[in-house]
Amino acid sequence: MAAAAEGKARVVVVGGGIAGSLLAKTMQDHADVVLLDPKDYLEIPWAELRSMVEPSFAERSLIYHRDYLTNATIVTSSAVGITEHAVLTADCQSLEYDYLVIATGHALTSPGSRNERIKEFQRDHGKIESSGSVLIIGGGPTGVELAGEIAVDYPEKKVTLVHRGSRLLEFIGNKGSKKCLDWLTSKKVDVLFQQSIDLDSLSNMEKLYRTSAGETVTADCHFVCIGKPLGSSWLHDTILKESLDNKGRLMVEKDLRIKGYNNIFAIGDITDIPEIKQGYLAHKHALLVAKNLRLLIKGSPNSKLETYSTGFPLALVSLGRKEGLAQLPFLTLSGCLPGMIKSRDLFISKTRKEMGLSA
């Protein structure tokens, strides 16, 4: 692909998740923007679990990149390399850049096509519908929210959650973990702590699952809800290999430029910023970097760039359709109030509006 049109800086954004897509959308009228993503759509990730119990929900939470990027170039492929001037793609393109933003978050397992992703949700829904009992592996936000969705929509189904930690939602305080456990228990969800299940031996053919503590769980189907690896393995053979920390995260300065580079930024889950990896923080990264890119394009000195600071860790976890759990600076709340904030719509309308679309 040729260099940017005369007079317009070219910004290449690698990764079309929550952070990369918002950045590309915000910058499309200020630069020659190229979004590189293996999917043809943006997935609003916190709607994934609702879409498993109600597949039609995905119609609003899976957004074609072309619907919000009306003034940018979309390249549907993966990045495989970076040089000082270009990003190399899996389909052998070389995308030249003046500014580069890495937003590859966590490694993708989703299909490249929006239609295929909707079919996945329909298959998961069918799996839940046809099962009398469900095993959920992992007690982080994904496992807890999925257990909540199933327990509320299908109270007759037996739900068991197995978690290797000593409490649920370890990223929040003890009080929040306890409230969450009490809520799940009140919905007759069985929670087994400090146990794991050998993922390599899993099959949906067997209805018996043995835990590391020797307990047997009977379930008609299972869902694995443990953390995905970071989407940074492709960077190991690039100019940014020295910029990765020992966990595979990109080390950034306060202005979110990658250490040692003037024109390469990182945003979202892939950064080494010491904070909980959450969607609303990825949004903050994207908007800050968009502001800094506009300043740099105008020729402002580095000293004028905005800097990012971490705030108090906030958490909102939905528990079914009407209730939720909120950890605020001096307060942990559960019940209908946090549920009104998140659980009813899961911020889908708000996110769609941010992307310039109808709610």
Side-chain angles (χ1 to χ4, degrees), residues 341-354:
I341 302 169
K342 179 179 180 184
S343 306
R344 200 167 296 169
D345 179 60
L346 300 177
F347 301 126
I348 302 300
S349 299
K350 180 175 183 289
T351 309
R352 287 181 63 86
K353 280 180 188 158
E354 276 172 341

Side-chain angles (χ1 to χ4, degrees), residues 23-35:
L23 178 89
K25 153 96 175 57
T26 309
M27 285 304 297
Q28 65 180 341
D29 294 329
H30 303 275
D32 176 20
V33 171
V34 179
L35 177 71

Side-chain angles (χ1 to χ4, degrees), residues 13-24:
V13 183
V14 183
I18 281 294
S21 60
L22 181 61
L23 178 89

Side-chain angles (χ1 to χ4, degrees), residues 30-31 54 169 256 259 271 297 319-320 328 356:
H30 303 275
E54 185 189 334
L169 305 174
L256 301 190
K259 288 184 176 167
T271 63
I297 288 166
L319 299 170
L328 306 167

Side-chain angles (χ1 to χ4, degrees), residues 13-17 19-20 36-38 78-79 101-108 229-235 244 248 250 265-271:
V13 183
V14 183
L36 174 64
D37 190 55
S78 302
V101 183
I102 311 287
T104 44
H106 283 86
L108 270 184
L230 281 171
S232 61
S233 57
W234 67 282
L235 292 165
L244 294 164
L250 282 167
F265 292 82
I267 55 176
D269 290 359
I270 202 162
T271 63

Side-chain angles (χ1 to χ4, degrees), residues 238-249:
T238 71
I239 58 167
L240 297 180
K241 61 176 183 278
E242 303 298 326
S243 307
L244 294 164
D245 70 7
N246 58 7
K247 292 192 171 139
R249 297 174 305 201

